[in-house]
Every structure is written in structure tokens, then in C-alpha cells.
């Protein structure tokens, strides 16, 4: 098709888009393009929310989630709660290439990474330290505990198990969360012959409870690729999104012939039926090179920016 190959990725992460495009131009595979494109964001610390030095958890540590999916073989490699290793999507790729597993987590994922030749590095930076200490000084606003209202007279977490929250209280807790700096690179690559690959990389949610894993490393949630239909990727409140498998659903809509933009919109509205204040966006593209996106359109998040690269555009182009 005229619009192929195609690279589409979340947010205005231009260098990531350029890198993926260059890899394709140089004869790399769709998987190579996804790995290098998302990996570029890990190097650039895109928006502070991908890679090292961002989103410190409740104990101040940065941990990474990433996945990569091959839509030809339906293989997935993923890492979650990865510690002290910067190139999370690179490690995810090794999970596909060297193991029969799909998802490795935590310290053991780090050990695997070292066996694969990745160096241990400190993911803490001046920036993540200062974000963390600012949070500590603001009485540790407990973003992710149900039913815990910030109280300046109390000392910092880890928080004791609070009373069980009602559904309504959970909703209020969601609306209190800080969404700033809460992005992910998600990328879909459709090759010249319609082969699909997808991937994600993120440092997750800021001030998360240690051990928290979001949607990004989960197949069908953070991204999904199927060379017989298309690919999709998501960004936003992963704790909510991973309950709905938005990327899987977008691909299945496209398989049935739904226009990509409509597919993304349907996925977002389904989540909003349950969680009206949910924050997130989905991008998708089918094997003929049509693409689309949709976001949850909250106040303060009325527009969603994403990048598209294709032969029909003379350079990676930001779209809204
Ligand atoms: C997560 N989905 O871990 C990621 C973060 C994100 O825009 O995409 N924020 O929940």
C-alpha cells in the first residue's frame, strides 16, 4: 500500500520516530524499528516518563516496564519492575530471542539482563532525587492508596493498610492523582509488506507503590500487534487501562473492518463508561497503512499528540 511502511508513536517524541524510521530505511526489521525507536526514548528520557531518572516510586527508586511484540509470530517479550538497567525494551527483546517466556519481573529480570550483557546502572538522577524529596516534603501525597487522604500532620509512607475504599472513594482517589509527567512511548510499525510489530517503554506512575506494574508491559494492554489485522498502543493511567486490554480491543475492531480512529474511540469510550475520569489515549494502525488515535479528553487533556512517519509524509509528522 502507498502508506507503507508506517511508524506511529504516542506523544510528540520526534527523535524516537526518526530513529525507528531510519532503522526501516536501512533495512532493519519492524521489530528492530520498534526496539530502537522506543530505545531512543529510554536514552533521551522522553518527558522524564520514559527511561532512567523519572517517576521515582514511594521509596525513591525508578523502575522500568517495557514490552515488544512480533505480529508475525505473536511472540511477546516483556520486563516489568526492572531495576538498575536502562535499556528496558532491549531486555524485552532478549526475552523473545533467548527464552520461551513472555514476561520477567523485578530483581530477577535485572539478573536476566546482566546475563544478556546489559550493565547495571543507577537509574536515580539529580532530577529523580529532587522530585522524590519534594514529594517527601509535601507529606508524601499518597497518590495510589485508596481512602488515604493527604494529611500534613502524618509522617511519610509506606502507608499502613487503609480501610477498604468504596467504589466512589476510589473514583475520588483517581481524580486526585497527579498525571503530570505520566507518559509512555508506545509504537506501532507496519512494514512495507504489512508485517506488524509494536512496543512500549515507561518508568510508570510517579510515586507508585513499589512493585506496581502498569499496562505497558502487558500484551493487549500496553500494545498489541497482529500482522493479519494491525497494531495498537496505549498511554495513560495504566492501573485502569490494563483492566480493559485496550490495544487488543482496538486491533480486533480493525480486524472487523472498523476505521482505526473509530476503533480507538470505541476503546476509550468503553473505559469511560466505568471510569469517567480516566486519563489515557490509544493509537492504532491497520495493515493497509490507515491509522488513528483517540484520547479521553479531560479538562487539561483535550488534545493528544502523536507522531506518524510514512512515505506519504516527507518527515515524521506530529498530529493531534
Ligand atoms: C503506566 N501507562 O505505567 C503507563 C504510564 C503512562 O501516560 O502511559 N502514562 O501506567
Amino acid at each position: 500500500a502507498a502508506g507503507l511502511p508506517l511508524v506511529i508513536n504516542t506523544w510528540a517524541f520526534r527523535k524516537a520516530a526518526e530513529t525507528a524510521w531510519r532503522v526501516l530505511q536501512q533495512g532493519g526489521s519492524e521489530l528492530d524499528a520498534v526496539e530502537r525507536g522506543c530505545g531512543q526514548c529510554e536514552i533521551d528520557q522522553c518527558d522524564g516518563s520514559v527511561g532512567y531518572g523519572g517517576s521515582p516510586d514511594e521509596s525513591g527508586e525508578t523502575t522500568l516496564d517495557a514490552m515488544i511484540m512480533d505480529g508475525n509470530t505473536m511472540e511477546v517479550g516483556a520486563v516489568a519492575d526492572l531495576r538498575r538497567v536502562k535499556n528496558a525494551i532491549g531486555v524485552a527483546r532478549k526475552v523473545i530471542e533467548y527464552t520461551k517466556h513472555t514476561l520477567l519481573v523485578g530483581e530477577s529480570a535485572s539478573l536476566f539482563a546482566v546475563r544478556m550483557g546489559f550493565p547495571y546502572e543507577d537509574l536515580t538522577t539529580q532530577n529523580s532525587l529532587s522530585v522524590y524529596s519534594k514529594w517527601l516534603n509535601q507529606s508524601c501525597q499518597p497518590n495510589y492508596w485508596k481512602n488515604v487522604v493527604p494529611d500534613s500532620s502524618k509522617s511519610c509512607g509506606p502507608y499502613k493498610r487503609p480501610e477498604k475504599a468504596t467504589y466512589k472513594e476510589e473514583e475520588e482517589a483517581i481524580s486526585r492523582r497527579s498525571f503530570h509527567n505520566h507518559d509512555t512511548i508506545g509504537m506501532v510499525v507496519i512494514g512495507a509488506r504489512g508485517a506488524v510489530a509494536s512496543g512500549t517503554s515507561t518508568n510508570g506512575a510517579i510515586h507508585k507503590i513499589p512493585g506496581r506494574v502498569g499496562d505497558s508491559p502487558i500484551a493487549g494492554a500496553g500494545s498489541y500487534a497482529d500482522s493479519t489485522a494491525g497494531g495498537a498502543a496505549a498511554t495513560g493511567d495504566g492501573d485502569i487501562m490494563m483492566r480493559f486490554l485496550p490495544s487488543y480491543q482496538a486491533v480486533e475492531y480493525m480486524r472487523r473492518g472498523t476505521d482505526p480512529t473509530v476503533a480507538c474511540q470505541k476503546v476509550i469510550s468503553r473505559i469511560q463508561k466505568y471510569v469517567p475520569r480516566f486519563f489515557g489515549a490509544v493509537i492504532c494502525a491497520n495493515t493497509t497503512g490507515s491509522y488513528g488515535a483517540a484520547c479521553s479528553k479531560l479538562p487539561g487533556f483535550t488534545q493528544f499528540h502523536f507522531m506518524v512517519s510514512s512515505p506519504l509524509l516527507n518527515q515524521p509528522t506530529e498530529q493531534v
Side-chain angles (χ1 to χ4, degrees), residues 11 65 182-184 202 204-205 212 214-216 234-239 241 279:
W11 308 107
D65 293 348
H182 185 58
D183 311 321
T184 293
T202 186
R212 180 267 190 190
D215 60 318
S216 302
T235 177
D237 187 345
D239 292 298
M241 281 193 294
F279 165 98

Side-chain angles (χ1 to χ4, degrees), residues 138 212 296:
Q138 286 170 353
R212 180 267 190 190
S296 55

Side-chain angles (χ1 to χ4, degrees), residues 178-189:
S178 143
F179 292 114
H180 188 66
N181 258 359
H182 185 58
D183 311 321
T184 293
I185 180 145
M187 181 178 279
V188 174
V189 173

Side-chain angles (χ1 to χ4, degrees), residues 67-101:
M67 69 162 285
I68 187 164
M69 180 159 187
D70 181 341
N72 293 334
T73 61
M74 303 307 280
E75 287 174 297
V76 174
V79 289
D81 191 26
L82 179 71
R83 289 152 191 261
R84 299 189 306 284
V85 178
K86 285 184 177 173
N87 182 203
I89 196 159
V91 182
R93 180 86 185 266
K94 299 293 186 209
V95 174
I96 289 193
E97 286 182 340
Y98 289 91
T99 84
K100 296 180 180 176
H101 297 310

Side-chain angles (χ1 to χ4, degrees), residues 294-313:
C295 76
S296 55
K297 291 212 163 84
L298 290 179
F301 182 54
T302 51
Q303 289 185 326
F304 170 63
H305 296 252
F306 60 102
M307 298 294 302
V308 180
S309 316
S310 97
L312 305 178
L313 306 158

Side-chain angles (χ1 to χ4, degrees), residues 172-306:
E172 284 163 11
I174 290 168
S175 70
R176 277 201 307 272
R177 282 181 198 169
S178 143
F179 292 114
H180 188 66
N181 258 359
H182 185 58
D183 311 321
T184 293
I185 180 145
M187 181 178 279
V188 174
V189 173
I190 320 268
R193 283 181 223 91
V196 184
S198 70
T200 62
S201 183
T202 186
N203 52 32
I206 192 162
H207 311 314
K208 62 194 172 189
I209 299 166
R212 180 267 190 190
V213 169
D215 60 318
S216 302
I218 307 300
S223 86
Y224 201 66
D226 181 340
S227 298
T228 66
T235 177
D237 187 345
D239 292 298
I240 300 298
M241 281 193 294
M242 66 193 295
R243 305 170 188 174
F244 293 89
L245 297 182
S247 295
Y248 175 75
Q249 196 182 26
V251 169
E252 291 310 309
Y253 276 129
M254 292 190 294
R255 186 193 306 286
R256 286 192 257 149
T258 306
D259 167 77
T261 303
V262 176
C264 291
Q265 285 165 348
K266 286 183 165 212
V267 163
I268 295 287
S269 3
R270 176 165 140 77
I271 302 175
Q272 284 175 323
K273 251 179 244 155
Y274 294 86
V275 190
R277 310 191 63 132
F278 141 82
F279 165 98
V282 178
I283 55 169
C284 69
N286 67 26
T287 50
T288 69
S290 299
Y291 60 86
C295 76
S296 55
K297 291 212 163 84
L298 290 179
F301 182 54
T302 51
Q303 289 185 326
F304 170 63
H305 296 252
F306 60 102

